[in-house]
């Protein structure tokens, strides 16, 4: 039950389904703030109710919402108890279900920050680099998850942290880990990173989290990646390529122009493992009409007729919110909610 009534200052208990750890929340702080403060690995990014990454379900108790969340939660979602942890303030003891904890993915234990040095910076596109780090100790994660990164060497970046998804299969990442970083003009971290050769600089990696990951169902898989949303998709595909059995895969790469398209070579190295059961479909939305591009144009949703009956597939969608919303709208009432898995990518300008 959701409530907007005020309550006095107090401390309440948060019971997270599937988590043995006791969590306390102050009546003036959000559930997300309390969970992160007590090192519970919960998916999050914007912290202002825009990305929807911290969506969870209220099982018992009452909360108040700090702001209108109708852009991310429908009236039906609210009636079913879905909330955004970054906007929910407890009005008493509550019980919540957090995706990624006790729901099919192994629980990610909290861990202290790990120092890592930049090993290489490879240009993937005009505004994307693959950042390879060498951590002091191995970092444990599951394919599809992300981590928080901040710089240790630059005083002007003190307190600046950013979330990026792993691009490796976990078993590949014992000594080196890879991330895809897009330059956001005016972004303090990426302006610094792209301004010079940063090889050797020290970063801290912490807060491994996220519930985005492959769930075996026996159905074919449709992956849709926009921009650096390719990173967690690559992580999942690289993991699947090592498995004994693999689902059929169709991967749609959404980009504005051919200049923005990247990752083709990495994908072509993986595709032979599927022995013809892997289809790669780049789709360009703003490619000049008279260019040499001979592939698909428009939006990925324009080409869903290539997928056969939509409900026969599981969908894994990573990228900017507009793309994810368009895909979700296209699949609404055609594909069960449990077969759509999304990971919204926002930069620091998105909440604004």
């Amino acid at each position: 039950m959701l409530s907007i009534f005020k309550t006095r200052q107090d401390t309440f208990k948060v019971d997270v389904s599937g988590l043995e750890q006791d969590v306390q929340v102050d009546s003036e702080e959000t559930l997300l703030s309390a969970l992160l403060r007590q090192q519970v690995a919960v998916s999050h990014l914007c912290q202002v109710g825009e990305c929807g990454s911290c969506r969870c379900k209220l099982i018992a108790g009452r909360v108040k919402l700090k702001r209108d969340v109708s852009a991310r939660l429908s009236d039906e979602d609210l009636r079913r108890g879905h909330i955004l942890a970054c906007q929910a303030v407890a009005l008493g003891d509550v019980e919540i279900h957090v995706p990624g904890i006790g729901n099919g993915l192994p629980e990610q234990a909290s861990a202290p920050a790990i120092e890592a040095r930049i090993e290489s910076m490879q240009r993937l596109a005009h505004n994307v680099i693959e950042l390879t780090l060498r951590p002091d100790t191995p970092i444990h994660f599951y394919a599809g998850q992300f981590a928080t990164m901040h710089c240790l060497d630059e005083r002007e970046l003190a307190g600046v942290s950013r979330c990026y998804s792993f691009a490796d299969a976990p078993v590949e990442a014992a000594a080196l880990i890879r991330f895809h970083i897009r330059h956001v003009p005016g972004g303090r971290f990426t302006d610094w990173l792209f301004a010079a050769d940063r090889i050797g600089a020290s970063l801290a990696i912490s807060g491994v989290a996220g519930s985005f990951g492959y769930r075996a169902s026996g159905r074919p898989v449709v992956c849709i990646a926009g921009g650096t949303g390719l990173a967690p998709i690559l992580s999942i595909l690289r993991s699947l390529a090592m498995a004994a059995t693999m689902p059929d895969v169709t991967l749609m790469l959404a980009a504005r122009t051919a200049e923005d398209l990247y990752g083709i070579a990495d994908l072509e190295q993986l595709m032979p493992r599927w022995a013809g059961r892997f289809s790669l479909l780049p789709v360009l939305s703003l490619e000049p009409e008279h260019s040499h591009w001979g592939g698909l144009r428009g939006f990925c949703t324009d080409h869903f007729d290539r997928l056969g009956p939509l409900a026969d597939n599981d969908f894994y969608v990573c990228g900017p919110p507009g793309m994810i919303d368009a895909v979700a709208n296209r699949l609404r009432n055609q594909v069960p909610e449990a077969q759509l898995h999304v990971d919204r990518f926002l930069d620091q300008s998105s909440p604004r």
Side-chain angles (χ1 to χ4, degrees):
M1 174 181 180
L2 300 180
S3 174
I4 60 173
F5 297 109
K6 292 185 178 180
T7 187
R8 64 185 177 86
Q9 178 89 17
D10 212 335
T11 299
F12 306 120
K13 177 184 176 183
V14 181
D15 182 4
V16 181
S17 301
L19 183 72
E20 296 182 0
Q21 175 183 343
D22 290 332
V23 177
Q24 302 293 319
V25 59
D26 187 85
S27 62
E28 299 300 318
E29 71 177 331
T30 65
L31 296 181
L32 177 63
S33 176
L35 292 167
L36 295 178
R37 175 169 55 81
Q38 291 159 92
Q39 299 186 349
V40 177
V42 54
S43 176
H44 69 286
L45 183 55
C46 75
Q47 302 193 45
V48 295
E50 292 290 334
C51 69
S53 299
C54 63
R55 177 170 173 158
C56 56
K57 187 172 184 179
L58 182 66
I59 306 299
R62 297 188 303 160
V63 301
K64 63 179 179 182
L65 299 177
K66 295 175 61 178
R67 59 168 288 185
D68 177 19
V69 295
S70 59
R72 292 290 163 253
L73 298 176
S74 67
D75 290 343
E76 178 61 23
D77 290 331
L78 293 171
R79 282 193 292 270
R80 293 168 59 190
H82 293 282
I83 58 175
L84 299 183
C86 71
Q87 299 302 309
V89 178
L91 296 176
D93 292 347
V94 297
E95 180 183 355
I96 61 174
H97 173 72
V98 177
I101 298 178
N103 71 334
L105 285 182
E107 182 180 327
Q108 179 66 46
S110 300
I114 294 174
E115 185 171 345
R117 294 193 175 274
I118 297 178
E119 181 83 4
S120 68
M121 299 171 61
Q122 178 186 355
R123 183 76 66 164
L124 299 179
H126 67 101
N127 61 346
V128 177
I129 62 168
E130 182 175 79
L131 186 70
T132 301
L133 306 180
R134 183 178 295 277
D136 287 347
T137 58
I139 295 178
H140 301 288
F141 65 95
Y142 305 109
Q145 289 192 304
F146 64 88
T148 300
M149 183 185 303
H150 66 269
C151 184
L152 298 176
D153 291 342
E154 302 295 325
R155 182 174 300 176
E156 65 269 24
L157 292 179
V160 175
S161 63
R162 299 292 184 263
C163 296
Y164 296 106
S165 292
F166 296 94
D168 301 284
V171 297
E172 296 176 319
L176 299 173
I177 50 177
R178 291 176 286 182
F179 301 88
H180 295 175
I181 313 292
R182 183 175 68 88
H183 185 206
V184 179
R188 292 170 62 189
F189 180 75
T190 58
D191 276 353
W192 168 81
L193 184 65
F194 279 72
D197 184 351
R198 303 300 183 186
I199 293 176
S202 293
L203 301 174
I205 306 297
S206 62
V208 174
S211 59
F212 186 78
Y214 175 66
R215 272 81 164 175
S217 68
R219 287 182 289 269
V221 165
V222 176
C223 299
I224 303 175
T228 52
L230 179 59
I233 294 292
L234 262 177
S235 179
I236 291 170
L237 292 176
R238 283 169 166 159
S239 294
L240 287 175
M242 302 175 189
T245 60
M246 302 172 294
D248 292 0
V249 171
T250 298
L251 172 56
M252 290 184 157
L253 288 181
R256 292 184 176 89
T257 69
E259 184 184 30
D260 300 309
L261 197 60
Y262 79 90
I264 302 296
D266 285 333
L267 293 165
E268 288 177 341
Q269 288 182 349
L270 288 175
M271 290 172 67
R273 181 72 176 85
W274 269 263
R277 297 184 295 112
F278 189 126
S279 298
L280 178 60
L281 300 175
V283 184
L284 304 183
S285 60
L286 295 176
E287 179 68 7
E289 183 178 351
H290 301 295
S291 74
H292 295 293
W293 176 252
L296 300 178
R297 295 174 181 264
F299 299 100
C300 290
T301 51
D302 298 333
H303 303 284
F304 276 9
D305 57 343
R306 296 171 175 264
L307 305 177
L310 297 179
D312 289 351
N313 303 284
D314 288 342
F315 288 80
Y316 292 81
V317 191
C318 297
M323 184 195 79
I324 288 179
D325 289 343
V327 171
N329 288 336
R330 177 67 173 80
L331 298 180
R332 186 169 288 117
N333 300 324
Q334 298 189 63
V335 174
E337 182 179 339
Q339 291 173 220
L340 174 60
H341 312 277
V342 304
D343 193 4
R344 293 178 182 272
F345 272 41
L346 296 93
D347 57 53
Q348 291 300 305
S349 66
S350 298
R352 297 194 293 272

